[in-house]
Amino acid sequence: MTTAWVGRGEPASWVRRIFGRKRIYGELAEEIRAHLDEKVEELVAGGMAREEAEHAARREFGNVMFAEERGRDVWRWARLEDFLIDVRYALRMLRKSPGFTVVAILTLALGIGANTAIFSIVDALMLHPLPYPHPSRIVHLSWKFPARVNQNLNDPEFKFWRGHSRSFASLAGISDERGVEIRAGTQSGWMKGLWVTDGFFHTFGVQPVLGRGFVRADTEPGAPRVAVLTNSLWRDFFHSEKNIIGSQIVLDERVYAVIGVLPRGFEFSDPPEYSERPDLFVAQRFAKGLGDTGYNTEVLGRLKTGISLAQANAEMRLLSSEFNAQAPPFLRVKGTMLVRSYQSYQEHAHRTILLLLLGVVSLLLLVACGNVASLLLARATARQQEISVRMALGAGRGRLLAQFLTEGLLLGLVGAAVGVGLAAGVLHAAVSTIPWNLPATSQIRLDNRVLLFTLLLGVAVSVVFALTGYFRSWVPDWSSALKEGGRTGAIGRRGGKILKLLVVGEVAISLMLTLAAGLLLDSLYRLYSQNLGFDPAHLVVIQTEPLPGKQPTTKAAFLADQREVLARLRGIPGVESAASVSVAPLTGHQNFPAQREGHPDDSIGGTEFRAVSPGYFSTMRIPVLRGRVFLASDVTPKPTVAVIDETLARDWWPNGSPLGGHIVVGEYKGHEYSKSRLVLEVVCVVGNTRETITRPSPPMVYYPGGSMQMDWVLRVRAARGLHAAIRNALSGAWPGLRIVSIRSMPQLISAAVAQPRFNALLLGMFGGLALLLTLVGIYGVLGFQLSQRTHEIGVRVALGAGPGDVVRLVVGQAAKLAALGIVLGSAGAMTAGSLLSSLLFEVKPLDPAVYVASGALLMLVALAACYVPARRAMRVDPVAALREE
Amino acid sequence: MAKKRKEPRDLFPGALEMMVLRTLKWQPLHGYALAQHIKRQSNNLLRVEEGSLYPALQRLLKEGLVKAEWGVSATGRRVRIYRLTPKGARHLEREVSQFEQMLEGITLVLAPGKT
């Protein structure tokens, strides 16, 4: 081998350099040996004794080791190798104090894991585009009034907008969503159906793979009934039958023709209140004339290419006044049509809670970081001597900083990795239990974006830690630190101040989180304990639906069937009383415009109506305030009497008695709204009831009788073991009824508060975590400070301080810091509190009781954290403490 | 103190490298010969610590300013013979002219007061 192979311009020379370094080093050593040999030979030839010559040669050459080392240094990849050394060193440091390492990594993992989990939900709900082609062009239409937004339209409005607007490539109405019984050939089952107009599939950018979608003619009054199947229904129920198009299926006893099958992968997972995905789509057929004038149609559209949201909204404003100009008076609307992007409309339902949770978890991460930072600070002070030695040996500032960065990165990245594991576990276990009716639950996952977010978090906290440790331990004058021997290792004014600030900050943040959790828990408690206006205990609610084609043909026969069902229900052992109601509390609404007879100004557009059997009030235990409740003789095909609630009595008859007054159902501001106009005489006033758990109900009118859709309420001695008897009673008395559900009222309440309960649980959990972290943080800081003050305490004890004084010293400081934190946290919470108000129920964001309780809890935690340090301080032996000096 | 002159060391960073390149410009040499040559040429005024020659040679090798080949010396031993590369020659020229400028400047400043 004679050529030198090392040179800059050679291809991939650095690769060879790394792998060929051993050889370079060998050659260098050989060359130096040869050099010395040659020198010795020369000197010996000159007459010097060999031994002396060897000495002289070495003298002339200088330090052989040093020359070799510096020669080798030329070839080193200094940065990388220093980094690897730092990593090894950092690992050793972390291994040396396993307690610190485990606490720090767990703390970080909790903080980062919570952020990862919440971010993945935010990512899925707010940052991911909807799974349809050109999703940004899909819009949602609603009426915007000065104070609120009404998300639904009625049929005349939908037809007007479809006919007159030019901003949309298509408009689609969704008018109903319900479970249907499907029969085809010999099989049958229950499926979820969605009633939609033509334009629906175009709006969502999907084409049937077999057959066709809906056209305008399919929605005309009296058109043949047609349905389009989702791919999964076609596969699972119809076994991918190729000749399905044109075949007939029976939905709820009505015959429909299958006209299309949608492609695989199209899933309509939507409006927040529609929790289950539809299995099939049914063409909505408009009624003759005006159509349905109830606000029951959700309207979606696809913007034409080149039309912006702003342009569409401008057209809507013009059309809104045009609509009112042509509409009959009772259909006029004092609002404008609002076009929103469908995505933002969907996000809207969850935005508040998601933003709140994001805020909460970032605060939690702050607490976690504060904790780890204070641990690091304490440790950095303890490491002062090590750092001083390193600086004395010539380590530059840059190398020290690199060292701390490496340690911080190790902590941060390991914490982030463990956190991702935690988040994945929690999401996997809990995502299906989130009661938010998430539109795209299956999309919540730890994708690349979430992982990148976590990585960035990990790096960010690492840098913070590195800087904390670096600035703390960078000693301007290492020689004096060395002399001190690190024994007293006083943390110094600045370090002590930072530690105190960290404690105050942690307490302040924890207080804010505790407050938020406290407010939500208080709301939840009030939701549970509020007076519903009826007695929910031992109440069973049965929801039934009439099966089409199996119904009594006259109203009188219908009422007779109803009486028969009630009689049989009352006959079940264990049932104290039974009654029927068109819509039981907490299960839905039924409303209609109404007017006080002769007083057009006393009109309410959405008066709640319930058809009830005479025993309803006693079964529900709704208090009767004035007058008499319904009698069996009041139940006639055309009702004439009404029972109203307190609210309506106060609204319409503020001064006189409502008894004997008349209500006109189906009339609004002097205009007839419906052909089924009824005049009812008020015979009774009863207490208000909650029909929705979170909101007071609008004014309520009860009338005697029944409706096709019927709920049954039973007052029982025990709610268990009744199902079979209930089923028997119903099917025996009225075979045309299908039981939709049998639930106890407490179950209904529980379902109704699922969302607030989940929110409170989540916040409670995060608040609890923050408290735990704060406890550990204060404990760590106090314990560390105590170890720094052993000498001082020893002096005090020697001068006559008793155990009480020592405890006061420790506890007093913690209490002061906690109090400062509580004040700052309260101030912060007061400014941020309004964010919570939409999630609260009958609790003000500034509820003093919650503030006091949270502050007390925080103080308690701070004092609990003092327990061990205070006991340790009391046991300080003055002699030993002083001898240490 | 007179003793101090006994340890004339590397003058300034890069001086040794410059001398090595300069020497190699005349002829390829191995390490020992290079050291002796520099010593002789400087009339022992600049005493190079022989050991420091090797890190300098390694730097020049890495930069591609010299090449090394194993060969046999005049005394018959296996040695590494260094040779200037064209890049090294250009580098030397640049360094020398910069050095001369600097020297000129220093000389002017140090020259006894010509006003």
Side-chain angles (χ1 to χ4, degrees):
Chain A
M1 232 347 250
T2 53
T3 38
W5 45 266
V6 175
R8 211 189 217 163
E10 290 178 50
S13 64
W14 62 271
V15 176
R16 288 203 232 156
R17 219 185 269 163
I18 288 175
F19 295 106
R21 260 193 308 203
K22 269 221 170 89
R23 204 168 114 197
I24 295 182
Y25 298 164
E27 283 177 334
L28 182 62
E30 184 184 345
E31 199 179 2
I32 290 174
R33 240 183 350 265
H35 179 113
L36 290 172
D37 284 352
E38 194 167 352
K39 184 100 185 173
V40 171
E41 300 275 305
E42 204 178 280
L43 292 175
V44 168
M48 201 179 275
R50 177 159 287 271
E51 203 173 320
E52 200 182 327
E54 274 173 12
H55 277 297
R58 294 231 169 221
R59 206 165 45 241
E60 291 269 304
F61 192 88
N63 190 334
V64 175
M65 292 276 284
F66 200 48
E68 270 189 48
E69 198 172 304
R70 276 175 46 205
R72 284 204 299 267
D73 275 350
V74 171
W75 302 102
R76 279 186 58 206
W77 229 22
R79 293 240 174 91
L80 179 69
E81 279 162 38
D82 285 349
F83 174 70
L84 289 178
I85 289 172
D86 284 345
V87 169
R88 234 172 309 171
Y89 187 78
L91 280 176
R92 206 159 56 220
M93 291 302 294
L94 293 181
R95 254 206 316 270
K96 245 172 60 183
S97 39
F100 161 81
T101 308
V102 169
V103 170
I105 285 179
L106 273 186
T107 305
L108 283 180
L110 282 178
I112 293 179
N115 275 274
T116 303
I118 297 299
F119 180 78
S120 68
I121 298 177
V122 172
D123 181 49
L125 284 183
M126 297 176 71
L127 304 177
H128 265 295
L130 296 170
Y132 310 112
H134 304 290
S136 62
R137 312 209 66 80
I138 305 178
V139 294
H140 181 271
L141 273 67
S142 44
W143 280 113
K144 187 176 189 305
F145 300 102
R148 66 194 170 89
V149 169
N150 187 355
Q151 287 157 6
N152 291 327
L153 274 60
N154 60 29
D155 285 354
E157 289 166 358
F158 173 70
K159 286 185 199 155
F160 174 84
W161 253 272
R162 192 175 61 183
H164 291 75
S165 64
R166 272 173 290 279
S167 297
F168 308 105
S170 60
L171 271 187
I174 305 175
S175 60
D176 197 8
E177 174 245 15
R178 63 170 195 259
V180 289
E181 185 189 37
I182 179 171
R183 280 196 284 116
T186 54
Q187 25 172 12
S188 65
W190 284 94
M191 298 292 161
K192 178 73 82 181
L194 198 69
W195 270 250
V196 301
T197 65
D198 59 301
F200 178 85
F201 298 121
H202 181 270
T203 298
F204 285 96
V206 61
Q207 282 276 342
V209 281
L210 291 178
R212 62 174 178 91
F214 300 136
V215 294
R216 188 64 48 88
D218 295 329
T219 67
E220 300 297 343
R225 296 188 170 94
V226 290
V228 168
L229 312 178
T230 58
N231 205 273
S232 54
L233 180 68
W234 177 58
R235 277 200 318 268
D236 301 341
F237 194 81
F238 295 98
H239 311 292
S240 304
E241 168 63 54
K242 289 276 183 302
N243 301 322
I244 187 84
I245 302 304
S247 66
Q248 298 200 318
I249 57 174
V250 180
L251 300 177
D252 280 352
E253 307 299 320
R254 290 199 176 101
V255 176
Y256 286 74
V258 174
I259 59 162
V261 174
L262 295 175
R264 209 183 260 261
F266 175 76
E267 279 183 340
F268 183 69
S269 53
D270 274 30
E273 59 266 32
Y274 298 171
S275 45
E276 282 173 57
R277 291 173 184 171
D279 300 299
L280 76 166
F281 296 87
V282 180
Q284 178 200 346
R285 299 183 312 155
F286 289 106
K288 287 198 184 85
L290 279 179
D292 182 1
T293 50
Y295 291 89
N296 294 323
T297 301
E298 168 132 30
V299 180
L300 301 164
R302 179 173 281 273
L303 287 178
K304 274 185 192 156
T305 322
I307 300 285
S308 69
L309 259 185
Q311 284 168 307
N313 272 307
E315 193 202 3
M316 293 302 107
R317 278 192 291 278
L318 287 176
L319 280 180
S320 298
S321 46
E322 207 175 296
F323 171 78
N324 278 330
Q326 57 87 50
F330 72 94
L331 284 180
R332 286 176 197 157
V333 176
K334 279 187 191 145
T336 45
M337 192 59 69
L338 172 71
V339 183
R340 277 182 286 180
S341 97
Y342 188 45
Q343 176 127 22
S344 79
Y345 164 71
Q346 283 212 334
E347 285 164 12
H348 191 74
H350 306 297
R351 181 170 282 161
T352 312
I353 182 71
L354 282 180
L355 290 182
L356 178 75
L357 284 176
L358 264 189
V360 163
V361 290
S362 14
L363 287 179
L364 191 69
L365 183 62
L366 267 184
V367 174
C369 284
N371 241 356
V372 177
S374 65
L375 285 173
L376 276 172
L377 266 184
R379 221 168 63 106
T381 311
R383 275 174 72 181
Q384 212 148 5
Q385 198 186 6
E386 168 214 332
I387 303 297
S388 307
V389 170
R390 295 182 55 149
M391 287 182 74
L393 289 178
R397 279 213 226 173
R399 287 288 295 119
L400 273 185
L401 182 60
Q403 166 81 56
F404 277 108
L405 269 176
T406 316
E407 287 189 35
L409 266 181
L410 260 180
L411 273 184
L413 294 184
V414 174
V418 179
V420 165
L422 282 181
V426 168
L427 283 178
H428 181 74
V431 103
S432 57
T433 68
I434 299 176
W436 284 341
N437 297 335
L438 298 176
T441 306
S442 63
Q443 286 183 5
I444 295 178
R445 53 171 186 252
L446 301 177
D447 60 6
N448 289 339
R449 190 149 46 168
V450 177
L451 292 180
L452 182 69
F453 169 83
T454 311
L455 183 70
L456 287 180
L457 270 190
V459 170
V461 301
S462 307
V463 171
V464 172
F465 294 152
L467 294 181
T468 322
Y470 172 68
F471 284 117
R472 185 54 218 124
S473 58
W474 185 66
V475 197
D477 178 11
W478 48 263
S479 61
S480 74
L482 267 182
K483 270 182 232 145
E484 256 180 34
R487 192 148 41 88
T488 46
I491 183 156
R493 232 162 234 285
R494 202 168 48 133
K497 235 184 226 163
I498 295 179
L499 278 181
K500 283 179 193 165
L501 272 180
L502 281 174
V503 169
V504 171
E506 272 186 37
V507 171
I509 292 175
S510 297
L511 179 82
M512 286 164 73
L513 297 186
T514 314
L515 268 174
L519 289 170
L520 288 190
L521 285 170
D522 194 8
S523 297
L524 186 64
Y525 172 75
R526 287 177 202 227
L527 274 178
Y528 270 119
S529 61
Q530 70 174 317
N531 182 7
L532 294 168
F534 57 89
D535 178 7
H538 301 301
L539 209 53
V540 174
V541 178
I542 308 152
Q543 290 187 283
T544 57
E545 249 177 22
L547 292 175
K550 294 183 182 171
Q551 298 312 319
T553 44
T554 66
K555 190 84 189 198
F558 175 88
L559 292 174
D561 278 356
Q562 190 188 347
R563 272 196 302 277
E564 177 63 20
V565 170
L566 285 173
R568 291 214 188 191
L569 287 173
R570 285 192 200 104
I572 298 172
V575 173
E576 289 176 0
S577 64
S580 68
V581 54
S582 45
V583 180
L586 310 187
T587 63
H589 289 276
Q590 175 192 6
N591 47 39
F592 230 52
Q595 180 188 320
R596 182 181 161 198
E597 195 182 41
H599 295 80
D601 287 344
D602 280 350
S603 291
I604 298 172
T607 319
E608 289 290 317
F609 278 90
R610 299 290 184 273
V612 300
S613 66
Y616 182 68
F617 303 103
S618 59
T619 301
M620 296 296 284
R621 298 191 181 145
I622 297 171
V624 177
L625 304 175
R626 253 190 272 183
R628 53 110 181 150
V629 294
F630 298 135
L631 308 170
S633 58
D634 292 325
V635 184
T636 54
K638 194 170 167 79
T640 55
V641 290
V643 172
I644 61 172
D645 72 351
E646 263 182 290
T647 309
L648 189 63
R650 208 184 39 239
D651 283 359
W652 281 1
W653 291 275
N655 304 313
S657 165
L659 300 185
H662 286 89
I663 295 170
V664 186
V665 181
E667 207 168 88
Y668 184 73
K669 305 214 164 172
H671 295 283
E672 196 165 308
Y673 181 84
S674 151
K675 270 172 249 151
S676 51
R677 182 174 179 275
L678 273 180
V679 181
L680 302 173
E681 182 187 338
V682 179
V683 295
C684 180
V685 180
V686 296
N688 291 332
T689 55
R690 287 266 170 173
E691 300 295 317
T692 307
I693 201 146
T694 48
R695 283 192 307 268
S697 302
M700 170 72 84
V701 174
Y702 300 94
Y703 64 92
S707 69
M708 292 300 279
Q709 181 106 23
M710 200 50 98
D711 294 344
W712 314 81
V713 287
L714 306 181
R715 177 73 58 185
V716 299
R717 278 184 281 278
R720 297 195 175 278
L722 291 174
H723 283 216
I726 289 171
R727 280 180 198 283
N728 280 337
L730 280 169
S731 59
W734 195 340
L737 277 189
R738 180 175 83 85
I739 297 181
V740 178
S741 69
I742 304 177
R743 283 176 288 182
S744 72
M745 186 52 87
Q747 275 177 316
L748 282 173
I749 295 175
S750 174
V753 299
Q755 200 158 315
R757 187 176 53 218
F758 182 75
N759 295 351
L761 183 79
L762 215 55
L763 252 86
M765 212 173 68
F766 289 140
L769 270 181
L771 281 181
L772 182 72
L773 291 179
T774 308
L775 182 81
V776 174
I778 297 179
Y779 167 75
V781 169
L782 282 182
F784 172 73
Q785 282 195 324
L786 192 70
S787 71
Q788 302 282 309
R789 293 173 73 181
T790 311
H791 177 67
E792 176 203 331
I793 292 172
V795 171
R796 284 171 188 257
V797 173
L799 291 178
D805 300 310
V806 174
V807 170
R808 254 196 299 285
L809 188 73
V810 178
V811 174
Q813 197 198 2
K816 244 191 292 179
L817 294 180
L820 186 58
I822 289 169
V823 170
L824 288 178
S826 302
M830 281 178 197
T831 50
S834 57
L835 292 176
L836 272 177
S837 51
S838 71
L839 297 173
L840 298 181
F841 174 75
E842 289 187 354
V843 181
K844 292 268 166 303
L846 296 179
D847 188 274
V850 175
Y851 269 72
V852 169
S854 304
L857 186 60
L858 251 290
M859 188 51 89
L860 209 66
V861 165
L863 296 183
C866 295
Y867 179 72
V868 174
R871 278 182 55 126
R872 213 156 12 114
M874 270 163 61
R875 282 201 303 266
V876 166
D877 175 6
V879 180
L882 292 179
R883 199 177 288 150
E884 242 180 48
E885 269 304 278
Chain B
M1 277 192 283
K3 261 196 168 174
K4 260 199 169 163
R5 237 190 297 137
K6 263 186 111 181
E7 301 273 340
R9 306 193 62 180
D10 208 4
L11 288 176
F12 53 87
L16 182 60
E17 279 89 342
M18 205 158 72
M19 290 190 289
V20 168
L21 290 178
R22 179 78 187 168
T23 311
L24 291 181
K25 193 178 176 188
W26 301 117
Q27 55 185 319
L29 287 171
H30 71 284
Y32 180 74
L34 200 56
Q36 303 316 311
H37 192 267
I38 289 175
K39 253 193 247 181
R40 238 185 349 266
Q41 286 294 100
S42 69
N43 288 337
N44 284 340
L45 274 179
L46 300 174
R47 234 180 58 193
V48 180
E49 191 177 70
E50 290 172 21
S52 64
L53 184 67
Y54 289 90
L57 281 171
Q58 296 295 324
R59 274 196 291 279
L60 295 175
L61 267 179
K62 191 182 173 195
E63 297 292 314
L65 302 179
V66 301
K67 285 201 302 192
E69 287 170 12
W70 286 99
V72 178
S73 75
T75 53
R77 55 188 83 239
R78 195 172 117 85
V79 292
R80 249 192 343 166
I81 296 167
Y82 293 88
R83 174 191 311 275
L84 197 66
T85 63
K87 188 178 166 194
R90 283 196 302 276
H91 182 78
L92 177 65
E93 243 166 71
R94 226 175 14 250
E95 286 288 291
V96 168
S97 84
Q98 270 172 20
F99 176 68
E100 278 168 355
Q101 268 177 24
M102 181 177 81
L103 202 62
E104 200 181 316
I106 294 175
T107 317
L108 283 175
V109 172
L110 293 184
K114 271 192 281 178
T115 41

